[in-house]
Amino acid sequence: MVPTTLGIVILSFVLFNVIGGSPAAAILGKNASAEAIRAFDALHGYDKPLVFGPLSSASAFFDSQFFNFAVNILKGDFGVSVEYNEPVVDVLKRGVGPSLSLTLPILLVGTAIALVFALVSAMCRGGIVDRVLLVFSTVMMSVNYVVWVLLGQFLFSYKLGWFPVWGYEGLMYLALPVAIGIVSSLGADVRFFRTAVLDEIYKPYVLTARAKGLSRAAVLFRHVLGNSLIAVVTYVSLSIPYLFTGSLLLESFFGI
């Protein structure tokens, strides 16, 4: 985690401070005077050395743009947004609510539905129900994400008028994007959860439970489900960072 985090900090610094150009020119405009740019750079520390300062002292050596950038990140200070002209932390606080209200229902409801389908498919392995669910999952995985978005907007918003197509003013504005998010991820989730359940079904403890006379449903829900949740929780936990970053396409297409 430490080298990965350090790499992200370095990459962010390079992108926004080296490749991104002059922040003063971006905020003050191209017609800003040299005096105004110098004053802006001095105010925000952009006049300091880029990586290392002079070797005259330890404090001067580390008094550079990069080290100040890294220290501020450790303090939770991500600087000021050029676009909104306000602290980045405030922008994040304002945006995390709408993002979570969209992504959290998608994760929780989508996982529950996919897990039910996976259990049913595993319980009926090789039967007609299992084959239908496998074909259904494969079809769902094969359809591009953007197709679900455009199809949902066209059919349910434009043609039927059941849901608003743009904005963020209430629960009805979230209903369609949440449903699209669930549908678009359902196929892959069902296939993975089914595999996790099948990995447990033929283990010795399951055969012992069946030998004791327990029904298939009892074995599946009381024994197999608990152990297969280890893989499920590991799989779902990988989605947690995306809860806070939001769903870029959904938020863009629905104006959230």
Side-chain angles (χ1 to χ4, degrees):
M1 183 182 69
V2 173
T4 300
T5 304
L6 180 61
I8 293 172
V9 170
I10 294 174
L11 181 61
S12 301
F13 177 79
V14 170
L15 288 175
F16 288 101
N17 292 274
V18 180
I19 301 177
S22 170
I27 295 177
L28 301 178
K30 295 181 179 180
N31 297 323
S33 63
E35 292 79 7
I37 291 178
R38 282 196 296 269
F40 181 91
D41 289 342
L43 178 64
H44 295 88
Y46 294 124
D47 57 340
K48 296 182 178 181
L50 197 62
V51 181
F52 299 112
L55 295 173
S56 56
S57 66
S59 59
F61 181 75
F62 290 107
D63 187 18
S64 65
Q65 293 186 43
F66 174 73
F67 283 104
N68 290 333
F69 174 75
V71 170
N72 288 336
I73 287 178
L74 291 176
K75 295 178 180 178
D77 179 7
F78 301 109
V80 177
S81 168
V82 174
E83 182 177 356
Y84 299 103
N85 195 26
E86 60 178 310
V88 173
V89 173
D90 294 340
V91 178
L92 294 176
K93 288 179 180 178
R94 188 172 63 248
V96 71
S99 289
L100 284 177
S101 65
L102 176 65
T103 55
L104 199 57
I106 292 176
L107 177 66
L108 297 179
V109 178
T111 300
I113 295 175
L115 193 54
V116 170
F117 282 171
L119 287 171
V120 172
S121 180
M123 188 168 59
C124 305
R125 185 185 183 187
I128 185 65
V129 174
D130 180 35
R131 294 177 182 177
V132 169
L133 286 174
L134 285 177
V135 172
F136 169 77
S137 301
T138 305
V139 172
M140 300 290 280
M141 293 172 61
S142 304
V143 179
N144 188 275
Y145 189 78
V146 178
V147 173
W148 290 118
V149 175
L150 297 178
L151 181 63
Q153 285 184 328
F154 176 77
L155 182 60
F156 296 106
S157 294
Y158 177 70
K159 285 294 185 180
L160 299 177
W162 291 354
F163 305 99
V165 72
W166 187 265
Y168 180 77
E169 300 177 16
L171 292 178
M172 287 301 296
Y173 287 82
L174 289 173
L176 183 57
V178 166
I180 291 174
I182 292 173
V183 168
S184 62
S185 62
L186 201 57
D189 290 350
V190 170
R191 295 295 295 263
F192 181 86
F193 296 163
R194 176 183 179 274
T195 302
V197 173
L198 289 177
D199 285 342
E200 297 291 329
I201 280 183
Y202 297 105
K203 289 188 176 179
Y205 75 89
V206 176
L207 300 178
T208 302
R210 292 295 301 274
K212 289 181 178 180
L214 293 179
S215 65
R216 180 182 295 183
V219 173
L220 195 63
F221 287 99
R222 287 170 54 185
H223 297 279
V224 174
L225 178 59
N227 288 313
S228 61
L229 283 180
I230 298 174
V232 171
V233 170
T234 303
Y235 176 84
V236 172
S237 66
L238 298 176
S239 304
I240 291 179
Y242 298 99
L243 296 180
F244 298 94
T245 57
S247 181
L248 179 62
L249 281 177
L250 280 177
E251 292 186 15
S252 301
F253 272 96
F254 287 92
I256 299 175

